[in-house]
Amino acid sequence: KLKIYKNKKVLITGHTGFKGSWLSFWLHSLGAKVYGISDGIPTKPSFYKVCGVDRLSKNYFFDISNKYKVKKTILKIKPDFIFHLAAQSIVSKSIKEPFENWNTNLIGTLNMLEIIRKLKNNCSTVFITSDKCYKNLEKISGYKETSILGGTDPYSASKAAIENLYFSHYRTYLSNKKNISSSTVRAGNVIGGGDFTNDRIVPDCMKSWKNKRIARIRNPKAIRPWQHVLEPISGYLWLACNLKSKKFNGQSFNFGPKKSGIKNVSNLLNQMIVVWKNMKWKKIDNKIKNETNILVLNCKKSNKQLHWYPVLSFKEMSELTASWYYQFNHNKKKIFDYTSSQIDHYIKKASNKNILWTKNEN
């Protein structure tokens, strides 16, 4: 089913980031012509560089809030698909730099919507927001796509605002356009190899363990819907395929794990220690203001309407993540091949489970 991407022009905003780089890597393996817009490479090291994504895509570097450059680039490419991931993605940074957070997240998305509604070519666009777009009521039952939006920090509030911005643009401008189809997607607590961002649990932990130090953890009892990066990406790719026929146009979808994958931070760290033997972590008293204790998504809509399901168990997800970093730190030269093997492994497992997007893949 994903063979639809072969020889198609696919634009990814935020393609140098963690999820954007994995998406670029997978799309290249599908034979897509990958284009990327980013304002730079966010971390050093980065998945984008160490896995050679810079050689797999046509790269444009400027700020997504620059409407003129965004418009000029998109009109030049005339993409068949767009995945809009460009964003400021760290809660702590949004608190320190609220203007930059809002400018990138909200104005950047407004630029994309304004340009897309004036496109002449056929294009399917997926806007990636976050599970933090929901008003957090600390409930274990999970948030549906129809749950109340909200946010108590600049990052979360900007993601809720993006959802409202998208919906108003869709209803006002996009719903009647025959050549444009679009949707928003919400996923959170995505982990996997190649995330080197500061103030995230897995990268911070991996940096400590690489240097044989004890990892310092703020909130080990916090419950999150952990999922490997390939899980939501498979959902994004599959949804965009369906958008080509206008199916699900203007709708929103959650992508998250089964209930068995909803664990606390200490569960995740202890599972990763299976790969990083003899490593340790400890709790520190440094909790961020307004940090949530429980954040869970209800993904029944994706299950029933898209026939999308998570593939990996909590154990498999944790060990795939930890083993990528272990490979990177012990045999960096082979990390491209190792990354390819993880995608192949994921597709094979999905195929064995008869997940719909795998049909006709082999």
Side-chain angles (χ1 to χ4, degrees):
K1 299 284 186 176
L2 300 187
K3 287 181 179 179
I4 191 175
Y5 290 104
K6 187 174 176 62
N7 295 321
K8 294 294 193 301
K9 291 184 286 186
V10 184
L11 172 63
I12 302 168
T13 69
H15 74 303
T16 60
F18 169 51
K19 277 204 289 185
S21 293
W22 271 95
L23 178 58
S24 300
F25 197 103
W26 193 344
L27 277 164
H28 181 267
S29 73
L30 292 169
K33 298 173 183 176
V34 183
Y35 300 80
I37 296 175
S38 291
D39 67 349
I41 301 169
T43 61
K44 189 176 180 179
S46 67
F47 182 99
Y48 174 77
K49 277 289 189 181
V50 301
C51 285
V53 176
D54 55 335
R55 300 188 301 274
L56 307 180
S57 57
K58 172 69 175 174
N59 310 298
Y60 297 88
F61 289 100
F62 53 82
D63 196 310
I64 198 72
S65 64
N66 187 325
K67 185 179 179 182
Y68 171 77
K69 287 188 176 180
V70 176
K71 182 179 180 180
K72 183 180 177 182
T73 304
I74 292 178
L75 291 180
K76 178 182 177 182
I77 296 169
K78 295 183 175 63
D80 300 294
F81 296 92
I82 297 175
F83 294 91
H84 177 54
L85 291 91
Q88 191 299 111
S89 59
I90 305 297
V91 172
S92 59
K93 189 174 181 180
S94 78
I95 294 169
K96 293 174 185 174
E97 301 174 355
F99 180 85
E100 289 78 3
N101 172 82
W102 281 98
N103 193 47
T104 299
N105 293 359
L106 192 63
I107 302 304
T109 303
L110 178 58
N111 285 343
M112 295 297 295
L113 284 163
E114 280 291 275
I115 293 158
I116 287 165
R117 76 181 178 94
K118 295 173 183 177
L119 280 179
K120 303 299 183 185
N121 60 286
N122 293 327
C123 184
S124 297
T125 303
V126 177
F127 290 87
I128 289 84
T129 65
S130 169
D131 59 351
K132 292 182 176 65
C133 70
Y134 295 111
K135 183 177 181 180
N136 197 345
L137 304 174
E138 300 281 342
K139 62 178 187 177
I140 197 67
S141 58
Y143 301 103
K144 298 179 181 179
E145 289 82 355
T146 52
S147 295
I148 298 171
L149 302 174
T152 55
D153 60 79
Y155 170 75
S156 304
S158 71
K159 291 299 183 178
I162 288 168
E163 291 284 353
N164 284 320
L165 170 65
Y166 167 78
F167 187 67
S168 68
H169 250 67
Y170 175 77
R171 291 296 297 270
T172 307
Y173 307 110
L174 299 176
S175 59
N176 294 322
K177 287 188 69 68
K178 293 181 179 180
N179 64 314
I180 302 296
S181 54
S182 59
S183 185
T184 72
V185 293
R186 304 152 183 180
N189 294 95
V190 175
I191 65 172
D195 187 0
F196 297 99
T197 312
N198 290 326
D199 290 335
R200 280 187 180 155
I201 290 163
V202 171
D204 288 350
C205 193
M206 293 297 122
K207 288 172 194 171
S208 296
W209 291 354
K210 175 188 174 184
N211 296 307
K212 299 184 178 178
R213 297 197 306 261
I214 296 173
R216 294 153 58 84
I217 305 301
R218 280 197 317 270
N219 194 4
K221 292 185 179 179
I223 296 171
R224 297 287 184 268
W226 307 106
Q227 56 182 328
H228 190 273
V229 63
L230 294 176
E231 302 275 36
I233 286 177
S234 71
Y236 304 164
L237 291 170
W238 181 224
L239 173 59
C241 290
N242 282 278
L243 284 175
K244 273 298 177 190
S245 62
K246 306 291 281 188
K247 198 173 183 183
F248 310 123
N249 194 23
Q251 297 188 37
S252 298
F253 288 89
N254 288 338
F255 294 104
K258 298 175 184 176
K259 286 186 178 180
S260 59
I262 300 169
K263 305 278 189 181
N264 65 32
V265 172
S266 64
N267 295 143
L268 176 66
L269 299 182
N270 291 336
Q271 190 64 62
M272 290 197 298
I273 287 172
V274 172
V275 176
W276 287 77
K277 295 178 172 61
N278 302 318
M279 295 296 113
K280 296 179 180 179
W281 61 271
K282 68 177 180 180
K283 183 182 182 303
I284 59 168
D285 187 20
N286 186 28
K287 192 178 177 186
I288 291 177
K289 185 180 179 181
N290 295 327
E291 187 171 35
T292 56
N293 290 309
I294 300 172
L295 186 55
V296 178
L297 292 178
N298 180 317
C299 300
K300 288 182 180 178
K301 181 179 178 183
S302 294
N303 301 156
K304 291 180 180 179
Q305 295 189 24
L306 283 173
H307 303 287
W308 174 90
Y309 297 91
V311 173
L312 303 172
S313 68
F314 180 76
K315 178 177 182 291
E316 290 168 333
M317 171 205 67
S318 306
E319 293 182 4
L320 264 184
T321 299
S323 64
W324 191 99
Y325 288 98
Y326 194 86
Q327 175 76 14
F328 175 72
N329 287 316
H330 290 85
N331 196 352
K332 204 175 293 186
K333 289 182 179 179
K334 292 190 176 181
I335 199 63
F336 181 96
D337 292 336
Y338 191 72
T339 301
S340 293
S341 72
Q342 286 204 337
I343 293 176
D344 291 342
H345 171 77
Y346 178 79
I347 293 172
K348 186 176 180 179
K349 285 196 72 70
S351 181
N352 289 340
K353 292 188 175 185
N354 293 314
I355 306 289
L356 189 58
W357 59 261
T358 66
K359 300 304 179 186
N360 303 321
E361 281 300 290
N362 299 317

